[in-house]
Amino acid sequence: MPLFSLSVAVADRSITMWSFRNLEEDDDYDYVDDTEEAMDQKWTAWDIHRAMNNTIAFNLALHAAQPGDIVVVPDGKSYSFTGGILAIDKYDIVIDFAGASNFVPVRDIWPFDTIPNSTFHGNSRYDPAIAIFNCTGVTLTSSSIARAKVSVDYRKNTVTLLRPNKYFGGIINGNGKPWWDDVLVGKHKDRRPRLVHVMESGNMLVEYLTLLNSPFWTLTVECIDSEVRHVNVLVDRRYQSDPSHSVDSSSAIARHLDVANIPF
């Protein structure tokens, strides 16, 4: 059996579901444990190999998807990827992050300046973890029955994930700390990847996702007649997965962000 493969497209009424039946699952990875120890972990060759294969599988499914299709990251599991997931020139598809997505923060294997990019005007950058380019009617969502839940204390400006080992559907984790550290110590120029970047598109819908610890900007939407709703954004250097702990006041909070008809 190959290390990655796409499932055969299974018709569900008039909709084709592209699912990753043989996608390589994470080995009990606690993708919300962003303690200093966990975030400083070394990524093994197998972690990287698996993430690269999963990214290839994801992009093959996106490339094959036709109007009306749904590309699904299966619910109830966590999957690792590298950057460079790309939907380009797509119309009327759904990209469903039902399970949790975990981006491996290894600079050496992260794609650099390989996708169409109208944002940086010739300046080379690492590819976004997830990029949507020249698409119409695309939905980024999570259909998980156990989507991540967030508690926000607006008085203290703190945020916590609630029972993250049970409720983790729709988490897209950028594992940003290694990227941030490189910049802080002056090891590399500030060329970090964005987490989710939408360019030159229209009639987009982004909903029901939890975006965690992006290496750079978390969500940029450069399109017309589009909507962002019910999106949680958590960014903190020492985020604790234990719900008894909350992040400090440096956190970026944007819960249930509703923006309709974005005039970009």
Side-chain angles (χ1 to χ4, degrees), residues 27 134 156:
D27 298 324
N134 196 33
K156 295 181 179 180

Side-chain angles (χ1 to χ4, degrees), residues 85 95 97 101 103 110 115 119 127-132 140-141 170-174 193-199 204-207 209-222 228 231-233:
I85 291 175
I95 306 173
F97 292 92
S101 301
F103 284 85
W110 196 284
I115 67 171
T119 300
D127 293 352
I130 301 165
I132 311 295
L140 272 65
T141 189
I171 286 179
I172 300 176
N173 188 350
R194 302 181 185 208
L195 191 57
V196 180
H197 189 30
V198 184
M199 299 167 282
M204 290 284 305
L205 175 61
V206 183
E207 63 176 5
L209 300 174
T210 294
L211 308 178
L212 178 64
N213 281 341
S214 172
F216 194 36
W217 293 359
T218 300
L219 171 64
T220 48
V221 182
E222 301 174 4
V228 179
V231 172
N232 303 314
V233 177

Side-chain angles (χ1 to χ4, degrees), residues 33-79:
D33 181 11
D34 289 339
T35 60
E36 289 289 333
E37 292 80 7
M39 295 179 78
D40 285 331
Q41 68 177 293
K42 301 299 182 181
W43 298 84
T44 68
W46 173 242
D47 293 329
I48 294 170
H49 185 69
R50 175 173 49 200
M52 293 175 70
N53 284 336
N54 286 348
T55 303
I56 293 170
F58 202 140
N59 280 331
L60 286 172
L62 288 172
H63 179 74
Q66 299 298 311
D69 287 356
I70 303 174
V71 179
V72 183
V73 175
D75 199 5
K77 301 290 183 180
S78 172
Y79 300 92

Side-chain angles (χ1 to χ4, degrees), residues 123-135:
N123 294 324
S124 296
R125 291 289 186 275
Y126 284 95
D127 293 352
I130 301 165
I132 311 295
F133 186 83
N134 196 33
C135 292

Side-chain angles (χ1 to χ4, degrees), residues 156-158 236 247-252:
K156 295 181 179 180
N157 192 33
T158 59
D236 193 271
V247 299
D248 62 29
S249 59
S250 65
S251 302

